[in-house]
């Protein structure tokens, strides 16, 4: 444990299956050495599997990935599977995966940040997981949304979420204690954000939500959420839509609906 692995430029036509965990004191870090400082190979580092995921992590802990390009998977590009904890993927790109760009499945303490996630089936799917941060990404032109499914303590912050064919952000299936804050959410094919499936204690705060085909934010079959201090404009139907959604707190404040 505690290694730093520098990876040189090239196209890697394989699934990278992580075999070892780091520790809390000594994380294993994989770095795309684009400048060739350590490998003397200059250029991008692209993982383009023949089939299956680009990076597969199951039941591993304390890993970091920096600067990798994951592309053209016929499955999921980045799969962080059951039992995995304390994984970060930063400063990369994830594109053209037929199913899911990022799948976080029954994992915890995961950070996906400062990356471009586009032209995938589902952009990001967080399923049965907790303590997940998706921040400062450009998430766009995916067939469908960021989906938070039966997860808790998941924060979507400071992302640009736009031009996805379906919903921008969907929280469903008893997701709880999640934040959607300080994002730009626009130009999506249906709703900007939808809270449904008994999700609760969701804070939707300080977002700019505009130019979505239907409503900016919709809450249906859900309760005890806060929608506050957002800016809404030019959504085709409503700024905020409540349907069978009692006990939600809606504070327009400085927002424009």
């Amino acid at each position: 444990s505690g290694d730093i692995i520098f990876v040189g430029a090239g196209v890697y036509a394989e699934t990278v299956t992580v075999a070892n965990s780091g520790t809390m004191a000594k994380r294993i870090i994989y770095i795309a050495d684009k400048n060739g400082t350590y490998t003397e190979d200059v250029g991008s580092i692209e993982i383009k599997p023949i089939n299956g995921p680009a990076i597969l992590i199951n039941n591993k802990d304390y890993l970091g990935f920096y600067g990798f390009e994951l592309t053209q998977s016929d499955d999921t590009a980045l799969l962080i599977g059951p039992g995995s904890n304390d994984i970060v993927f930063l400063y990369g790109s994830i594109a053209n995966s037929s199913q899911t760009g990022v799948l976080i499945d029954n994992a915890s303490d995961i950070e996906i940040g400062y990356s471009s996630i586009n032209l995938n089936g589902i952009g990001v799917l967080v399923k049965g997981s907790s303590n997940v941060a998706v921040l400062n990404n450009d998430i766009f032109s995916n067939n469908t949304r960021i989906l938070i499914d039966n997860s808790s303590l998941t924060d979507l912050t400071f992302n640009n979420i736009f031009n996805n064919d379906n919903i921008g952000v969907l929280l469903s299936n008893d997701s709880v204690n999640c934040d959607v804050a300080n994002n730009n959410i626009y130009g999506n094919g249906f709703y900007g954000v939808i809270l449904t499936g008994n999700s609760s204690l969701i804070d939707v705060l300080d977002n700019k939500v505009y130019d979505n085909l239907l409503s900016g934010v919709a809450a249906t079959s859900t309760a005890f959420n806060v929608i506050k201090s957002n800016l809404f404009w030019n959504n085709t139907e409503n700024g905020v839509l409540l349907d069978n959604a009692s006990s939600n707190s809606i504070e327009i404040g400085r927002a424009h609906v």
Side-chain angles (χ1 to χ4, degrees), residues 119-138:
L119 298 170
N120 303 289
I122 297 173
V124 179
L125 170 55
V126 181
K127 181 179 179 182
S129 297
S130 63
N131 289 299
V132 175
V134 179
L135 73 160
N136 285 290
N137 301 287
D138 291 324

Side-chain angles (χ1 to χ4, degrees), residues 7 41 55 61 65 95 127 130 137 162 169 184 233 243-244:
V7 181
D41 296 323
I55 296 177
D61 306 316
F65 296 84
K127 181 179 179 182
S130 63
N137 301 287
F162 61 98
V169 178
N184 296 312
W233 72 92
D243 180 16
N244 191 27

